[in-house]
Amino acid sequence: MNTLIIPPHHSLIEEIIPHLKGVGRDYSSNMVVFPGKRPSHFLRKTLARRLKGSFIPPVILSMDEFVDHVYETLMSQIDTKYNENSRGILHRMNTMSGETPDLFSGEIRLGQPRRKLETIDAVAILYDIQKKSSSPLGGDSFLTPDNFFPVGLKIYKDIEELYIEKINPYLVKEIESFVEEGIPGQTVKRLQSLSYFYGEFYKDIETRNFSTRSLRYRTTSENIDETELNHFQQIIFAGFFALTKSEKILFRKMFSWSNTLFLFQDGTGIKERLSDLGINMESQEGEDAKQEIHFYRSPDTHGQVFGLSRILKADLENNVPIDERTVVVLPSSETLFPLLRQGLSALDEDSYNISLGYPLHRTPVFGFLNNLMDLIISMDGERVYIPDYLKFVLHPYTKNIYLNGSAETTRILFHTLEEDMTKQKTKTFSTLSEIENNGDLFIKIMDRIPSEIEITEEQMKGHLKNIHSNTIEKFLKFKNIHDFAVKCTDLLIYVFHTSTARLHPLFYPYSEAFIQALDTISRSLMKDVSFAKNISYFALFKKYIMTCHTPFEGTPIRGLQVLGFLETRNLLFDRVFILDVNEETIPDTKKEDTL
């Protein structure tokens, strides 16, 4: 068994390099698998420093990428072998596990799902199952897609966890036979509903030729011996700790491979984890690395950020290096922008790197779309609710739409409109036509236009109508979810091309992430669903966006590292600053485990 345990204060990256088998500067015959993606950057940089020049790197994958690679390889092998001898391969695939084949035994068979499901597609399939059920979950409460979506997300998470842990559906369904007392009747019913979704979902995706992350893990773990990976001289799995049952099966099978090495790092709980894999870990001897730990108390998040800023400024004054060996860890992404604006203000933008996922619902792009949706929801027939209308038109993306190459006239237009409307306190609703044809309003607007700007009243009216038609009026009616997603995309493209929005910091990556999410919605299995009310489209959109993040990417290993909590896995730093070390953040006790 090729297994090494390294001390906790040793660098995992440095420990990997001696085990790579290269020919000159060519390391492509090696594969290195980490739990996540980030260590790959550090491994390549460390190799470059040692070799002091260019080289061909190993194949470096995260565990998810490794499973996808093996799964796709396995499926192509099945297709090839089936073409050669379809009947023989079918028999072998159904018997190679030594168990009676069934849906939950994990064996590969012809027609195995291929394309990986997006989360929204998985929820769409679960919704179809919900509608077909004789006793749907929640009775009549979750019979529309927008109401079912948040419940569907939880169900999908739960059944994926059950599937990757190789739990049979009947164990969930028969839970009451194991605990006759102590579980309320309604809870037992919900567990039985979960077992129904669990059983039906994987049957459904098999017939539709889909796959999920858990299905790929189980397929790979059960059939890793069928995969041809012997062209790699060395396969190294490094830095793993908590393993699912599917991963444990995969590791046990690969322990016997002559070209595979497993590197584990000593630490609390590792002995028990390795015992599950059949590895008896001997006590590690050696001195612990000397560490200094300092705790700082502040009244709020900004106090923490300013405290960090003072430390970094002092380091700069004392010529203390602030490089990739220093990391700022953000367990909560909400701290990122205060950190950027105040905490890192003493550093040049090129002297730090940010790599973490930022929630889309906290971006200005979401605020812009949300303002428009709130406006549509609050309308009374054709009349807009004036406070919501003003909130939308005064958003920086709206009030800075260009007219004749300048955004100044649009700002004058909407701020004059705001002043006029707020004076009429008794009037709370107005049609767009009334606003567009308000002669007194446009007289005031024209009086405020600087003399050097040549523009007529008719041009100003046309400009306002054009803004209304490309924003509010487009959102008054939708054919289906596909149409809704396309119109949202068109709106963001319109704002990008016709306003100063693209000059705003981070608008481009945020809008790109939104357009990718909208594209996923427009192509999803829900794309043909129609709602009677606009609020249902908006509710579904908001619930989906709450699950989406945009990668806040920078140059991977240049300067001070700003990372999320999980991004620090397997990496060793000289200095670590962790913000938000408060209860409910570390650990995140707000999360609820539905199982």
Side-chain angles (χ1 to χ4, degrees):
M1 185 182 297
N2 301 323
T3 304
L4 293 177
I5 314 296
I6 65 174
H9 56 275
H10 283 202
S11 167
L12 182 67
I13 303 300
E14 296 284 354
E15 295 284 348
I16 289 172
I17 291 177
H19 300 286
L20 297 176
K21 298 178 180 180
V23 179
R25 292 176 176 270
D26 184 359
Y27 290 89
S28 59
S29 63
N30 298 267
M31 175 186 283
V32 182
V33 182
F34 292 106
K37 296 180 180 181
R38 184 131 197 91
S40 63
H41 302 300
F42 286 81
L43 178 57
R44 281 189 284 266
K45 183 169 184 177
T46 304
L47 269 173
R49 281 177 171 172
R50 287 202 177 188
L51 297 173
K52 298 180 179 179
S54 60
F55 64 98
I56 302 175
V59 176
I60 309 176
L61 303 173
S62 68
M63 190 60 185
D64 280 354
E65 290 170 336
F66 172 76
V67 167
D68 286 341
H69 169 75
V70 173
Y71 179 85
E72 298 298 338
T73 302
L74 187 61
M75 296 314 301
S76 72
Q77 288 175 197
I78 290 173
D79 289 341
T80 301
K81 292 177 182 178
Y82 178 67
N83 288 334
E84 294 172 355
N85 186 352
S86 60
R87 184 172 300 176
I89 188 63
L90 177 61
H91 173 73
R92 185 168 63 84
M93 285 296 172
N94 282 339
T95 58
M96 64 184 174
S97 65
E99 300 175 357
T100 303
D102 63 59
L103 179 64
F104 294 89
S105 65
E107 84 284 357
I108 292 293
R109 49 186 164 178
L110 298 176
Q112 183 77 25
R114 299 293 181 88
R115 183 171 74 82
K116 187 184 285 188
L117 278 175
E118 297 284 353
T119 300
I120 191 171
D121 293 325
V123 175
I125 293 173
L126 289 169
Y127 175 63
D128 287 341
I129 295 171
Q130 164 83 341
K131 289 191 298 181
K132 295 173 185 175
S133 174
S134 58
S135 55
L137 178 68
D140 297 332
S141 300
F142 307 118
L143 292 181
T144 60
D146 53 320
N147 285 336
F148 180 78
F149 192 83
V151 180
L153 286 174
K154 291 184 178 181
I155 294 173
Y156 181 54
K157 173 182 173 292
D158 289 344
I159 63 176
E160 279 284 272
E161 184 176 345
L162 292 169
Y163 197 82
I164 202 170
E165 295 291 346
K166 295 178 67 65
I167 305 297
N168 280 296
Y170 77 87
L171 290 176
V172 183
K173 185 177 182 180
E174 300 299 327
I175 187 68
E176 73 275 10
S177 65
F178 297 98
V179 280
E180 295 178 357
E181 297 179 0
I183 291 187
Q186 288 299 319
T187 301
V188 172
K189 287 182 180 179
R190 282 194 288 273
L191 285 168
Q192 289 175 328
S193 295
L194 182 63
S195 71
Y196 171 72
F197 283 110
Y198 184 28
E200 293 298 316
F201 177 77
Y202 292 98
K203 293 177 185 176
D204 197 310
I205 65 171
E206 182 182 34
T207 60
R208 299 190 192 208
N209 210 34
F210 291 134
S211 66
T212 67
R213 177 179 179 271
S214 291
L215 187 146
R216 290 183 171 220
Y217 266 76
R218 277 187 58 167
T219 297
T220 299
S221 67
E222 293 291 339
N223 303 282
I224 188 68
D225 291 331
E226 296 293 315
T227 309
E228 297 174 1
L229 293 175
N230 53 13
H231 59 286
F232 287 105
Q233 280 189 280
Q234 185 75 291
I235 301 174
I236 300 175
F237 287 84
F240 286 83
F241 180 75
L243 301 173
T244 64
K245 187 169 184 177
S246 293
E247 288 171 321
K248 290 175 185 176
I249 292 171
L250 187 147
F251 279 22
R252 289 193 192 104
K253 289 186 176 182
M254 296 186 72
F255 279 153
S256 62
W257 292 15
S258 60
N259 66 337
T260 303
L261 173 67
F262 290 83
L263 289 178
F264 297 98
Q265 197 145 22
D266 194 8
T268 304
I270 189 65
K271 187 174 183 179
E272 292 76 15
R273 302 288 182 179
L274 294 182
S275 177
D276 290 342
L277 296 172
I279 301 172
N280 294 320
M281 175 182 167
E282 296 181 2
S283 299
Q284 298 290 307
E285 296 182 358
E287 295 182 4
D288 292 335
K290 294 181 179 180
Q291 304 171 57
E292 287 187 12
I293 300 176
H294 302 271
F295 292 92
Y296 300 85
R297 183 171 61 183
S298 66
D300 53 27
T301 298
H302 283 82
Q304 297 183 53
V305 169
F306 285 124
L308 175 62
S309 178
R310 286 194 296 272
I311 295 172
L312 295 178
K313 285 178 181 177
D315 288 345
L316 290 173
E317 293 170 358
N318 296 321
N319 296 318
V320 177
I322 302 177
D323 54 20
E324 71 274 8
R325 305 298 303 171
T326 302
V327 64
V328 177
V329 184
L330 302 182
S332 172
S333 59
E334 297 177 6
T335 314
L336 176 60
F337 280 96
L339 174 68
L340 275 178
R341 301 295 176 247
Q342 286 96 27
L344 304 181
S345 58
L347 303 178
D348 296 331
E349 288 188 7
D350 293 337
S351 63
Y352 59 84
N353 163 70
I354 301 169
S355 295
L356 62 107
Y358 193 72
L360 283 185
H361 70 273
R362 295 191 62 84
T363 65
V365 176
F366 179 79
F368 170 70
L369 293 171
N370 191 53
N371 285 357
L372 177 56
M373 293 175 188
D374 287 345
L375 166 61
I376 301 299
I377 292 170
S378 65
M379 288 180 67
D380 178 21
E382 295 183 354
R383 300 187 305 160
V384 296
Y385 181 54
I386 289 175
D388 283 341
Y389 173 80
L390 291 176
K391 188 178 178 183
F392 171 69
V393 298
L394 292 175
H395 189 282
Y397 295 171
T398 314
K399 71 177 183 180
N400 286 294
I401 293 175
Y402 293 120
L403 176 60
N404 296 337
S406 171
E408 183 180 358
T409 49
T410 309
R411 290 195 295 271
I412 293 171
L413 164 66
F414 286 128
H415 282 295
T416 306
L417 192 152
E418 175 196 20
E419 182 182 305
D420 187 69
M421 285 185 161
T422 51
K423 285 181 180 178
Q424 304 176 37
K425 295 182 179 179
T426 58
K427 187 174 183 179
T428 55
F429 285 90
S430 178
T431 66
L432 296 179
S433 178
E434 288 173 347
I435 298 171
E436 295 165 355
N437 296 290
N438 186 336
D440 293 338
L441 170 65
F442 281 94
I443 290 173
K444 296 176 184 177
I445 293 170
M446 296 308 296
D447 287 341
R448 297 183 180 187
I449 299 291
S451 57
E452 63 270 17
I453 298 178
E454 296 182 1
I455 191 169
T456 66
E457 184 176 322
E458 287 303 313
Q459 286 177 314
M460 287 297 295
K461 288 182 178 180
H463 181 52
L464 180 58
K465 289 179 181 179
N466 182 58
I467 293 173
H468 286 166
S469 64
N470 281 286
T471 57
I472 301 170
E473 291 176 0
K474 273 196 171 184
F475 274 62
L476 295 178
K477 189 176 182 181
F478 307 106
K479 295 177 183 177
N480 49 36
I481 289 175
H482 171 81
D483 183 47
F484 165 76
V486 169
K487 286 181 175 178
C488 286
T489 301
D490 290 343
L491 174 61
L492 293 179
I493 293 173
Y494 167 75
V495 168
F496 177 81
H497 286 297
T498 63
S499 80
T500 62
R502 65 178 180 270
L503 304 178
H504 294 195
L506 304 173
F507 175 80
Y508 184 82
Y510 289 157
S511 59
E512 184 181 38
F514 264 93
I515 288 174
Q516 289 175 349
L518 290 165
D519 181 61
T520 299
I521 294 173
S522 70
R523 294 183 291 103
S524 73
L525 298 177
M526 284 190 175
K527 65 181 180 180
D528 296 322
V529 173
S530 297
F531 294 111
K533 296 180 179 180
N534 285 338
I535 190 173
S536 297
Y537 291 101
F538 303 155
L540 179 65
F541 169 75
K542 291 176 183 179
K543 289 166 184 173
Y544 178 70
I545 290 299
M546 294 291 285
T547 69
C548 299
H549 292 74
T550 179
F552 205 109
E553 296 177 343
T555 303
I557 42 177
R558 180 184 63 194
L560 171 74
Q561 300 291 300
V562 180
L563 305 179
F565 213 51
L566 285 178
E567 280 82 5
T568 63
R569 286 180 299 175
N570 308 138
L571 301 178
L572 188 67
F573 296 95
D574 293 337
R575 292 197 302 165
V576 179
F577 298 97
I578 306 181
L579 277 65
D580 296 312
V581 187
N582 300 323
E583 191 176 358
E584 294 190 353
T585 303
I586 300 179
D588 187 356
T589 54
K590 292 175 289 186
K591 288 185 178 178
E592 183 177 312
D593 189 334
T594 53
L595 286 179

